[in-house]
Amino acid sequence: MAGERFIYMDNNATTRVAPGVVEAMQPFFVEDFGNPSSGHFLGARAARSIALAREKTASLLNCSPGEIIYTSCGTESDVTAIIAALESFPEKRRVVTTAVEHPAVKNLCEALTEKTGRDYRLTTLRVNRKGMIDLGEFKASLTVDTALVSVMWANNETGVIFPIGEMAAMARRRGVLFHTDAVQAAGKIPLDVEEVPVDYLSLSGHKFHAPKGIGVLYVRNGSPFHPFLMGGGQERGRRAGTENTAYIAGLGKACELAADHLRGGVEKVRELRDRLENGLQKMIPGAEINGGGSPRLPNTCSIRIPGTRGDELVKRLDERGICVSAGAACKAGVCKLSHVLEAMAVPPDYGTLRLSLGMDNTGDEVDYLVKLLPEMIEQNRS
Ligand code: PLP
């Protein structure tokens, strides 16, 4: 693969590990391999590196280092937060979420309902055609019986950003705990938990240039918490398992890079994304942006194109070395829209492509795609 030329526009699926992150991780495999709980100097070195990474992670979220728990991934952070909140209020039986959550939240919430005998009641907030929820409907869901709200900060398919600050403040006024899955938001928009009063927040390293297999759970000081993984007393008894020193150090570095990117690079990504969207919409009659008109992540373009199939376009682009995602899963010629696009009432005769840009993309790549994709669609149709 070395030296192979390709265009990567699938950064919401995963990102390239940044060279600075690889460098930050390197010492902890062969040289500084100690267990951070050990009483000798190698252990102390590992523990110091974790403490340093924790400070950098806390700085990205504007919280204190003691509010950061390292996990294995975004999914683990989501599940831990939801289970912890529900165990804290066993008498309350309602969970509020949205129709467009990632399966990490969606599938757990559905598993908590009556159908599985667990006797939770689920309120699933709908979204409109622009992928946005209704704050009136949300307010009505905050009943005396509501234990927890779990709503994503930004959507992985469309990039639509929910008004988490407003929602978390409303939940707090009603005494309802609030979790947000901020996995797609990290490094793309500012995340400040001093301004946004969430109780729990999840991140995943591989979405912002750290490796796969490391996640973060923020738990506000004073918000109730029960460990999901019990065992040794790591992470101050909140997440057992020997700490993954190398990946934690890498994640700390990735947080530092994300903060730098937010101060400058992100605007370049937004310009590229806008150039891509405007170019494609001009060249492809009838193409529309899913979530257009709603606040969106600066890197995400989810475009629906009449009379095409997203999976076919993904395959054709792949043959040209271009990596993107589709918005539907197709088997034996039958396509099932993703639950996100279905919730937004996207008509089934459109094919959707998700193009998610990152800091490595260039204007030339965007221009190449704007020229190539309309030609490909024409060929497909004829
Ligand atoms: N939440 C969102 C919004 C995501 O996009 C993803 C991954 O795609 C996850 C959670 C799960 O993260 P992980 O792959 O680290 O478990």
Side-chain angles (χ1 to χ4, degrees), residues 291-359:
S294 291
R296 284 184 300 139
L297 293 174
N299 78 316
T300 307
C301 165
S302 171
I303 188 162
R304 62 175 187 262
I305 300 160
T308 59
R309 270 181 46 181
D311 64 323
E312 277 177 10
L313 291 175
V314 168
K315 222 164 70 191
R316 291 211 166 206
L317 289 168
D318 177 57
E319 284 160 10
R320 301 287 193 100
I322 301 172
C323 309
V324 304
S325 282
C330 302
K331 245 189 221 159
V334 181
C335 295
K336 182 161 171 20
L337 273 186
S338 75
H339 70 283
V340 175
L341 299 180
E342 202 172 69
M344 292 167 68
V346 168
D349 50 339
Y350 280 79
T352 281
L353 283 183
R354 181 189 68 182
L355 311 157
S356 45
L357 277 60
M359 53 170 111

